[in-house]
Amino acid sequence: MLNKPYRSPSTSSFLDNLRLSRLQSLLRRGELGLVVLAAIVGVIAGLLVALVSFLSNGLHWLVFGVEGTLSGSNITGHIVLLGPIIGGVLLGLIFFVLSKTRKKPMIDPIEANALHGGRLSLTDSIIVCVQNIISNGFGASVGLEAGYTQIASGAASKLGLKLKLRRGDLRLMVGCGAAGAIAAAFDAPLTGAFYAIELIIGSYTVLSLTPVIVSALVASLVANQISEHGLVFEIATADNIMPVDYVPAIVLGIVCAGVGILLMQAVSFIEETARKSAIAQPFRPFIGGFIVGLLGLVSPQVLSGGHGALHLNMNAQSSIWMLLMLFLLKSFASAISIGSGFRGGLFFASLFMGALIGKIFAFGVPFFHGVSVDPGIYAVVGMSAFAAAVIGGPMTMTFLALELTGDFPITALVLAAVITTSLVVRVSFGYSFATWRFHLRGESIRSAHDVGWVRDLTVGKMMRADMRTAKVGIGLEAFRKEFPLGSTQRVIMTHDDGRYAGIVLVPEIYADPMERSGENLTLERFLRYQKDVLLPTMNVKQAAALFDSTQSDALVVVNDRIENRPAGLLTESHTLRRYSEELDQRRREASGEF
């Protein structure tokens, strides 16, 4: 029997690194490697969506005794109230443990791609996904889409980090994970792909299109092999769309924009009220669960994401008052659920509420003269427009309507509505639900467009530490002896205790027309930029703005505002050159030029 050759640990490590290096080289060589990796991410996303859906449905059966969709059931009794309360207690316990063990805030895929170059913690993603499963499984009025995208994007980011992908490629993989998650959830590959492009990656490029679509297609296929996913609507067709039919669709888009803004502000108001109250965070989900349970006693359609309720109401004949009551109940339940701390998103809830708005709006469609479209179609138009207002992504919602109905004329009406909605929201409000929450936290981002590199390129990384310094009390003659003309362009002056005093330009000393001698002559009148300083934490844009406002060629970097001790020197030319280099690098990554 032949023995295997012995390999030392160092030899095995070297071979592993060599294989990894070859794999990285393959992925960086061209687009084909990224497409293969995107397909792998799609498989992972499809499996994870099926798993999360299975666990949530299992909780519905275990807690409420319901098979299938919770919001579409006729469940009654005390369990409707107790389910969300129990879920709130469990979430409260999780919040209590996390407050002791994890201090850093958890980030989502949009923030990861905008600020962190696609770096997303898989551990945090699993925690968020578990919280989402508990929230949805115990009846809180939130969907699972946030959990789907979080866990799939987290897994994609982890894979990309293991392979040491470039910043642009890592962001692309996070987008592929989100695309696969949404595609698998709705059995809608185009919707998933454009969700990633519009909301997660933040821009469309030829390089990103193929991997994202491949991931979405593969994820949808994988999820369908495991269980049935997606939505299919049977509604009246719209064969003869007339120009006049676009008028009510556009009006409906404006209505959805206004109501969507009110919903986003309501959620933020509830969150802010809970944060400012004396109620500790672990107790807030319990209170929120109690309120949601009470609303569930009025109508179980407000529970969970709303898949079953959407099917029930899409073609049902209901009075305007019944639809209005259900919309108010669902919107209040969703706002309370998220505001009190339940994990989840408003993706599907916004689809359900938008369909209700469309059906309510349909009662007024006969007042539009010459309209030939069946009023029920406006449920689809309202669904897409309201989701575009809350979630963002007008093309995402347009393709969702197309893939759910398979009707191109209806999709044309949807496109008119969602474009109107997006324009109104962008002009009057400026944020989607995700970016509005970033704004409330003090972040300035409005999309997933990569701005994190600007923050990473700080003054501390660009400054030079080898600066020439002197005490401000040094005499003019002594200064001239120590710094002859041509020895340096500028000298950093400090007080006796080391604090920054200003900058002296050496040519100005020698250009002074007055004859001066003696050690008692000071340099006070030659000091410049005594108050204008940079901090190491400032980013390149802030530094460039300060150079522009002070009209300075160079500024001193101090350690902080309190000690005010010189730490380095930064010139305007170097700042602008580094900024230009990074911009060019981002452009080459986006266009596929490596």
Side-chain angles (χ1 to χ4, degrees), residues 348-415:
F348 203 92
S350 65
L351 294 177
F352 177 35
M353 287 185 280
L356 294 175
I357 293 175
K359 296 207 68 173
I360 294 171
F361 182 83
F363 283 91
V365 169
F367 292 100
F368 292 90
H369 180 71
V371 173
S372 59
V373 174
D374 186 278
I377 293 176
Y378 289 101
V380 177
V381 177
M383 174 190 75
S384 303
F386 190 72
V390 177
I391 305 301
M395 295 306 299
T396 301
M397 301 310 164
T398 302
F399 279 109
L400 179 61
L402 175 62
E403 291 182 295
L404 295 185
T405 64
D407 194 302
F408 282 96
I410 293 178
T411 305
L413 291 177
V414 168
L415 181 60

Side-chain angles (χ1 to χ4, degrees), residues 414-463:
V414 168
L415 181 60
V418 298
I419 291 299
T420 303
T421 299
S422 298
L423 177 63
V424 173
V425 171
R426 189 167 59 252
V427 171
S428 61
F429 190 61
Y431 300 91
S432 66
F433 180 63
T435 54
W436 173 240
R437 291 161 71 88
F438 295 148
H439 169 73
L440 294 178
R441 282 167 34 194
E443 299 286 356
S444 59
I445 58 176
R446 295 198 176 194
S447 71
H449 185 74
D450 189 10
V451 297
W453 65 269
V454 176
R455 299 189 179 190
D456 291 340
L457 189 58
T458 61
V459 169
K461 293 180 179 179
M462 296 186 294
M463 70 179 188

